[in-house]
Amino acid sequence: GNSVTQMEGPVTLSEEAFLTINCTYTATGYPSLFWYVQYPGEGLQLLLKATKADDKGSNKGFEATYRKETTSFHLEKGSVQVSDSAVYFCALEAGSARQLTFGSGTQLTVLP
Amino acid sequence: GAVVSQHPSRVICKSGTSVKIECRSLDFQATTMFWYRQFPKQSLMLMATSNEGSKATYEQGVEKDKFLINHASLTLSTLTVTSAHPEDSSFYICSAGDGTDTQYFGPGTRLTVL
């Protein structure tokens, strides 16, 4: 079956630090890959996505590259801000049912 | 961007009562809606997938008679937790798909069963 393994948190960084949150996946076929973000008290929001190998998704300074050879989709940001504090979920979608499989989530706290 | 609303945002009920949660896509037609359950500090667990006008497909281990899902229109799906018990207390989240690979999530409903 499909699965997503995500770096365990919590992660605490100082403002302007470099961020990496690791995500690897197992899937049949060719999944689409996503990063969702959940800010405190809010619902999940799509942060970025990539639909095929070597695609790079990017948004709000965050990037992730779909690496088929390593089955990975690591999230990176060069300089985090306090406002980036949230829970980040890696997810994949495979098959015609459009169902998402989520990783366990990584809590990020950015200190001023 | 696409907006999905959920109502209520939080509900407290007595054990044995039923609770209905609504999920609406506000500015697009949702061909498919999904219901998730999220436990504290854990990931989202898919409960069921519903397509407009047809019966929902439940994930393994989810009781379909306890968690009734109705997807009566392309903009509305409801989840009814029947005869709720304290162990049903959780954060319930819906999402709506527009036919592409992207899902749009509602803000969630916090259910507390006393």
Side-chain angles (χ1 to χ4, degrees), chain A residues 49 93 98, chain B residues 31 97-104:
Chain A
K49 69 177 184 181
E93 182 204 86
R98 302 289 193 194
Chain B
T31 52
D98 60 0
T100 69
D101 60 3
T102 300
Q103 292 182 26
Y104 301 94

Side-chain angles (χ1 to χ4, degrees), chain A residues 72-104:
Chain A
S72 65
F73 193 55
H74 305 321
L75 182 68
E76 296 182 338
K77 186 173 185 181
S79 176
V80 293
Q81 305 300 312
V82 173
S83 57
D84 294 327
S85 297
V87 181
Y88 292 81
F89 292 94
C90 185
L92 71 82
E93 182 204 86
S96 59
R98 302 289 193 194
Q99 294 174 346
L100 286 170
T101 300
F102 284 90
S104 56

Side-chain angles (χ1 to χ4, degrees), chain B residues 2-95:
Chain B
V3 178
V4 174
S5 69
Q6 268 183 256
H7 178 79
S9 58
R10 59 182 69 223
V11 56
I12 301 172
C13 68
K14 293 183 178 180
S15 186
T17 61
S18 294
V19 174
K20 180 184 284 189
I21 303 169
E22 292 187 349
C23 177
R24 293 181 186 272
S25 56
L26 298 184
D27 50 3
F28 67 100
Q29 292 187 328
T31 52
T32 307
M33 285 186 169
F34 304 86
W35 286 96
Y36 297 85
R37 186 170 176 177
Q38 185 180 28
F39 292 98
K41 299 188 187 298
Q42 294 188 30
S43 188
L44 283 73
M45 301 302 296
L46 179 66
M47 298 175 67
T49 303
S50 72
N51 294 293
E52 184 262 341
S54 61
K55 289 184 179 180
T57 302
Y58 290 81
E59 294 301 296
Q60 192 172 9
V62 178
E63 298 176 60
K64 62 181 181 180
D65 294 329
K66 180 165 188 64
F67 298 99
L68 300 179
I69 292 171
N70 185 295
H71 192 165
S73 76
L74 284 172
T75 59
L76 173 65
S77 177
T78 60
L79 167 68
T80 301
V81 183
T82 62
S83 187
H85 288 94
E87 59 266 30
D88 298 324
S89 297
S90 192
F91 195 55
Y92 292 88
I93 302 172
C94 75
S95 70

Side-chain angles (χ1 to χ4, degrees), chain A residues 19-84:
Chain A
L19 168 71
T20 299
I21 301 178
N22 289 337
C23 172
T24 57
Y25 67 90
T26 301
T28 54
Y30 301 95
S32 294
L33 302 174
F34 304 82
W35 277 98
Y36 282 86
V37 57
Q38 186 177 30
Y39 297 103
E42 299 183 17
L44 272 74
Q45 301 173 26
L46 177 64
L47 180 60
L48 53 85
K49 69 177 184 181
T51 57
K52 62 183 188 297
D54 299 327
D55 270 1
K56 178 186 285 187
S58 61
N59 185 25
K60 299 181 180 179
F62 291 90
E63 292 183 341
T65 300
Y66 189 145
R67 300 285 187 203
K68 188 166 180 282
E69 63 276 13
T70 54
T71 61
S72 65
F73 193 55
H74 305 321
L75 182 68
E76 296 182 338
K77 186 173 185 181
S79 176
V80 293
Q81 305 300 312
V82 173
S83 57
D84 294 327

